[in-house]
Amino acid sequence: MNMLLQHQKLAAGCKQRSVAQPSRGCVAARTGLRSGRVASRQGSVVTAVLTPPAKPESSNPVYTTMSLDGHNLKTAKPRLVVLGSGWGAMSFLKALPTSISDTYELIVVSPRNYFLYTPLLPAVATGTMEERSIVEPVRNFIVGKGEFYEALCKDIDPVAKELVCCFPEDAGLDSACFKMSYDVLVMAVGSVNNTFGIKGVDQYCFYFKSIEDANKLRSRVSECFERAALPATPEEERKKLLTFVVVGGGPTGVEVAAELYDMIEEDLSKLYPNIVKDVSIQVVELMDHVLSTYDRAISLYTADQFKRAGIKLVLNSRVASVEDGVVRVVNKANETTDIKFGACVWATGIAMNPLIRQLQEKLPGQSHFRSVLTDDCMRVKGSDGSIWAVGDAATIDQPKALDYAEQLFEQADTNRDGRLSLEELRQLLTAASKEFSHLEEHARFLDSQTGVKRFGGLVAKSLSPADAAAAAASGAQPFAALLDGSTEVTKDQFKEVLGKVDKGLRALPATAQVANQQGKYLASVFTNNRVTGAPELDAPLQEKVKPFRYFHKGSAAYVGSDKAVFDLPKIGPLTGTGAGFVWKSYETMSQFSFRNQCLVAADWLRTKIFGRDISRV
């Protein structure tokens, strides 16, 4: 009783002190009142003070620890923590039933409190779509299922099963860091932009992964046109300001260029009639064609569409450096060209999330250059089943095809001449992909000499950052370069390319489609099974859980002027205005909520009737 009175007196004295600078006694009072509580109930929150070092008082942080002390997994609900709010995380959360709260204590942690529908990000950058139309609040998906904390996970301790999370620094408020224990962790933190070590990219280019990136580009385009329209702007400066460079000829780069063209052709040409003639849109691509992972007919159609639209394709070229207003590109002949620009969009390459790198260092058997390795059920290797991963954060560890190169080659070389024809190679990859699924994508494209070139492109994009930089420096396309116009492959060539494919190729492409399917798959696993993260309790899962199988539904891209392209399995390429209507319908219906479906449809209609708003606000 006397002890309680002392605590009450000390706590009362604390009210007279600043909340921002509590005394050690005040901290002790607040924590001391809780120190007698035993966290026997799952989900209890215990406030603890770290052992104070011999430093000034301000260096002694107070952490709130969401502990699991006294937690009995045999009877209590496992704490399931989900990191991220992208495609993998949100498809997982959406697919979970409301009754999931009866099985798990679900907590979602992400520095972004919304889901972003990334396929329509280029439309936001040009005003075709409003940003609020393609974002969904995370909390809408977890009502009745669990809790959400807007925080950035800064560290994972896989042994103690503990996270350190802090409120995002860019919010302008105190970090409010806290520790949280978990039983099961789902990693869906995605990837980050990859500059490949090229000088100037980070300082002078616009990235294209977030809503902030799209808004920055939108403002920059408006700034360039307004500055170019001034009477004091020289002609040379005006042409520079109105040159827009997109680095990367993949789906994102192509769609950014297409949306820029639509905005300029349909709206800005009427508002800036005297300067629109100086506008130039250029796409820089390492390969000899854009959309290199699509059917070659689609690449040719897109190139023709861009040519008619006046969009310049700078092919077989790599970016050597970027300076203020100038991007330096080098072609295969090692000729250097400087392209002056008003805005440069970096739409190529992804790299490992720093949090993934930290986790790799703490787990055995983790060596992939871009993500954590998982088994075919999406469990992170070395975590004893307590950590799962989806999306760009995960790569399913596949058996190495190179180990069986001799056997595969001998089986395919039916005439025993020590060489494989394109047809033999195609049959080899098709058969081998049943065991080595990472070869399936190559087998699908290897149907002609043009398919071989696309195979080379896929290999080129599968290399580690160091190898990718070296390949970019030489302008090489490994498989196509080895063939060098030939229609045959030797055993040594086959081994060399197979080794490169094994070394860095993701079993599945880093796309929203893959992350979406993985999230839904994981939701079914956690819904139909009680996953505890304890090896002794989860042992039956080894036989009950079926491996994840990806079903490729096809690829699509918008190419401007209400036209789109589709690369569909078994059907083949679809192009033109009809494909454009299907593309818009698909993107509208693919929104996660009826609200956003209505907003996206309304934005398409608004843009057609009233045009785009070019105000720089």
Side-chain angles (χ1 to χ4, degrees):
M1 186 68 180
N2 292 334
M3 187 69 174
L4 178 61
L5 290 174
Q6 290 178 3
H7 276 301
Q8 289 176 342
K9 291 179 180 180
L10 185 55
C14 293
K15 295 181 181 179
Q16 300 177 4
R17 300 180 183 271
S18 169
V19 175
Q21 296 180 336
S23 70
R24 294 187 183 183
C26 294
V27 172
R30 286 197 291 267
T31 57
L33 288 172
R34 294 182 176 91
S35 61
R37 277 185 205 163
V38 179
S40 58
R41 186 173 61 85
Q42 166 267 340
S44 60
V45 179
V46 181
T47 302
V49 181
L50 299 182
T51 303
K55 292 184 179 180
E57 184 177 350
S58 59
S59 66
N60 299 328
V62 178
Y63 284 90
T64 296
T65 301
M66 298 183 63
S67 70
L68 290 171
D69 295 341
H71 191 53
N72 188 345
L73 280 173
K74 291 183 178 180
T75 56
K77 291 189 293 185
R79 177 178 288 170
L80 170 59
V81 178
V82 180
L83 297 182
S85 57
W87 278 96
M90 298 312 295
S91 60
F92 172 75
L93 295 173
K94 185 182 179 183
L96 291 175
T98 305
S99 60
I100 201 70
S101 59
D102 297 333
T103 308
Y104 301 97
E105 180 199 3
L106 176 63
I107 299 176
V108 183
V109 178
S110 175
R112 193 174 66 185
N113 69 353
Y114 60 87
F115 163 73
L116 172 64
Y117 188 83
T118 50
L120 290 180
L121 201 56
V124 171
T126 57
T128 304
M129 201 70 52
E130 292 301 323
E131 61 180 44
R132 291 288 177 183
S133 300
I134 64 169
V135 298
E136 304 261 10
V138 174
R139 293 183 182 274
N140 287 358
F141 295 93
I142 60 171
V143 174
K145 300 179 182 179
E147 295 290 336
F148 171 75
Y149 298 135
E150 183 176 348
L152 175 67
C153 180
K154 298 212 168 185
D155 186 58
I156 301 174
D157 186 340
V159 177
K161 292 187 177 182
E162 191 173 62
L163 310 175
V164 175
C165 306
C166 300
F167 192 68
E169 296 178 358
D170 58 5
L173 298 174
D174 294 339
S175 58
C177 295
F178 61 95
K179 288 186 177 182
M180 178 166 58
S181 299
Y182 67 85
D183 293 310
V184 186
L185 180 67
V186 175
M187 298 278 294
V189 296
S191 55
V192 297
N193 295 296
N194 193 349
T195 67
F196 300 103
I198 298 174
K199 180 182 177 181
V201 171
D202 197 54
Q203 296 94 319
Y204 303 115
C205 291
F206 290 91
Y207 294 123
F208 213 76
K209 285 181 71 72
S210 67
I211 202 73
E212 292 81 9
D213 294 335
N215 286 334
K216 288 177 183 178
L217 179 59
R218 184 174 179 177
S219 296
R220 180 61 175 177
V221 172
S222 179
E223 291 169 357
C224 288
F225 269 87
E226 293 296 352
R227 178 66 173 79
L230 296 179
T233 303
E235 181 180 358
E236 183 179 353
E237 177 69 11
R238 182 169 63 248
K239 290 182 177 180
K240 172 185 174 181
L241 288 168
L242 299 181
T243 296
F244 304 101
V245 177
V246 180
V247 179
T252 301
V254 165
E255 290 184 343
V256 170
E259 289 285 357
L260 282 172
Y261 168 77
D262 282 357
M263 178 180 66
I264 294 167
E265 178 68 18
E266 298 173 7
D267 298 288
L268 300 185
S269 61
K270 303 171 186 176
L271 302 175
Y272 302 90
N274 297 327
I275 63 173
V276 73
K277 65 181 185 300
D278 294 322
V279 172
S280 174
I281 302 174
Q282 303 188 34
V283 179
V284 180
E285 167 60 27
L286 178 65
M287 301 289 290
D288 62 355
H289 54 286
V290 294
L291 297 179
S292 58
T293 59
Y294 289 49
D295 188 281
R296 187 56 183 263
I298 287 178
S299 299
L300 296 175
Y301 175 86
T302 304
D304 183 62
Q305 173 69 16
F306 277 14
K307 182 179 180 180
R308 284 184 276 124
I311 300 175
K312 183 180 179 181
L313 297 180
V314 185
L315 303 174
N316 293 316
S317 300
R318 63 179 179 85
V319 173
S321 64
V322 184
E323 299 175 4
D324 189 7
V326 179
V327 57
R328 181 164 292 118
V329 299
V330 180
N331 61 19
K332 281 190 173 182
N334 210 29
E335 298 171 339
T336 302
T337 304
D338 287 348
I339 304 175
K340 296 181 179 180
F341 64 81
C344 181
V345 180
W346 191 261
T348 181
I350 59 174
M352 182 186 293
N353 189 299
L355 185 64
I356 296 294
R357 191 180 304 279
Q358 289 183 21
L359 181 62
Q360 278 191 337
E361 296 173 353
K362 300 174 182 179
L363 294 176
Q366 292 291 339
S367 58
H368 198 272
F369 70 90
R370 199 164 60 194
S371 50
V372 290
L373 291 172
T374 72
D375 62 14
D376 52 9
C377 295
M378 311 311 298
R379 289 174 292 221
V380 175
K381 292 202 163 186
S383 69
D384 288 333
S386 64
I387 305 178
W388 304 59
V390 294
D392 291 357
T395 292
I396 299 175
D397 192 19
Q398 300 289 329
K400 303 301 182 183
L402 182 61
D403 296 339
Y404 301 87
E406 289 276 353
Q407 180 180 345
L408 293 172
F409 192 91
E410 293 298 330
Q411 291 176 354
D413 186 17
T414 55
N415 58 3
R416 305 304 178 200
D417 63 351
R419 292 177 175 274
L420 295 182
S421 66
L422 294 184
E423 177 59 23
E424 289 174 329
L425 182 60
R426 184 190 66 78
Q427 292 178 358
L428 183 159
L429 292 176
T430 301
S433 63
K434 295 178 182 179
E435 183 174 356
F436 308 102
S437 59
H438 60 298
L439 299 180
E440 182 178 358
E441 190 172 6
H442 303 297
R444 191 165 59 243
F445 289 115
L446 195 60
D447 53 4
S448 65
Q449 178 63 27
T450 56
V452 171
K453 291 181 181 177
R454 275 182 276 131
F455 180 92
L458 291 172
V459 175
K461 293 183 179 181
S462 75
L463 303 179
S464 65
D467 288 341
S474 63
Q477 301 171 23
F479 197 79
L482 286 172
L483 286 172
D484 194 23
S486 173
T487 58
E488 294 181 326
V489 180
T490 66
K491 183 184 293 186
D492 289 339
Q493 289 175 326
F494 177 71
K495 287 182 176 180
E496 181 180 351
V497 176
L498 210 57
K500 291 178 180 178
V501 172
D502 279 346
K503 184 177 181 180
L505 183 65
R506 290 172 53 93
L508 298 170
T511 63
Q513 184 178 171
V514 172
N516 188 33
Q517 291 187 29
Q518 288 178 341
K520 291 178 179 178
Y521 161 80
L522 213 58
S524 68
V525 171
F526 279 78
T527 301
N528 298 322
N529 303 277
R530 183 175 180 270
V531 182
T532 66
E536 64 277 8
L537 298 179
D538 290 344
L541 294 178
Q542 300 291 338
E543 297 181 358
K544 293 175 61 177
V545 177
K546 295 182 179 180
F548 170 73
R549 289 291 180 261
Y550 171 64
F551 175 71
H552 184 64
K553 299 178 180 179
S555 303
Y558 181 68
V559 296
S561 301
D562 292 326
K563 296 180 175 65
V565 295
F566 280 86
D567 190 2
L568 302 175
K570 299 183 180 180
I571 297 177
L574 298 178
T575 61
T577 305
F581 176 78
V582 174
W583 177 80
K584 288 184 179 180
S585 301
Y586 175 79
E587 298 295 4
T588 300
M589 299 309 297
S590 295
Q591 299 300 310
F592 275 29
S593 69
F594 178 69
R595 164 189 171 273
N596 278 38
Q597 290 175 352
C598 294
L599 290 175
V600 168
D603 282 349
W604 294 127
L605 185 62
R606 170 189 56 77
T607 299
K608 279 300 176 186
I609 298 175
F610 302 109
R612 298 165 180 81
D613 183 359
I614 64 159
S615 302
R616 183 166 62 90
V617 294

